[in-house]
Amino acid sequence: MPHLYVEYSNNLTGLNEQGLLEKLNAVVCGHATVADEADVKARIAALQQFRIGTNPAQRGFVHVQLRLLAGRTPEVKKELSDAIAAVLRAEVPQPAGVMVQLSAEIADMDKASYYKDRL
């Protein structure tokens, strides 16, 4: 915990995956509610098959989901969401003729059923 998932449409050519993950991890690890930077696990996936709406226009997206153990206040979740959104706005390219949607979601994980260990 936390787990950071990034999914994006593969028509966003020029997206620097490693750079985006580094900046997102820095934002999450730097938040006062994250005690250990080694707990943040991030991954990114370019989606080959996607559909946005019904219009055949060129459209793309990047969605980030940050999953945290339940218990953080709505204000903390908003801070994290805003910080993630700022990284997306700065780092996501907008290819010519493509309308790009950015979204971020902070989701709770159930403490009672979450398992974690270090080897």
Side-chain angles (χ1 to χ4, degrees):
M1 174 312 291
H3 288 268
L4 183 73
Y5 300 87
V6 180
E7 293 181 328
Y8 72 97
S9 57
N10 71 338
N11 63 341
L12 298 182
T13 56
L15 180 68
N16 178 349
E17 291 181 340
Q18 191 60 39
L20 181 59
L21 287 181
E22 287 173 8
K23 289 184 175 153
L24 289 170
N25 266 20
V27 162
V28 174
C29 291
H31 197 272
T33 63
V34 177
D36 185 351
E37 58 81 26
D39 285 342
V40 179
K41 292 159 285 295
R43 68 278 274 160
I44 191 166
L47 303 176
Q48 306 299 313
Q49 300 297 321
F50 63 92
R51 182 81 180 171
I52 300 170
T54 58
N55 188 319
Q58 287 285 6
R59 297 174 177 171
F61 71 91
V62 179
H63 176 70
V64 176
Q65 182 187 65
L66 178 61
R67 297 186 51 79
L68 304 162
L69 286 179
R72 290 179 174 78
T73 66
E75 293 79 19
V76 165
K77 292 178 186 179
K78 176 80 167 108
E79 287 173 7
L80 286 162
S81 181
D82 288 347
I84 289 168
V87 170
L88 292 178
R89 283 191 302 275
E91 297 299 317
V92 173
Q94 185 176 6
V98 178
M99 184 268 293
V100 180
Q101 296 182 38
L102 307 175
S103 57
E105 170 190 16
I106 310 302
D108 287 335
M109 295 186 299
D110 181 52
K111 287 182 181 182
S113 64
Y114 183 76
Y115 169 80
K116 178 188 162 199
D117 200 357
R118 288 189 183 181
L119 303 178

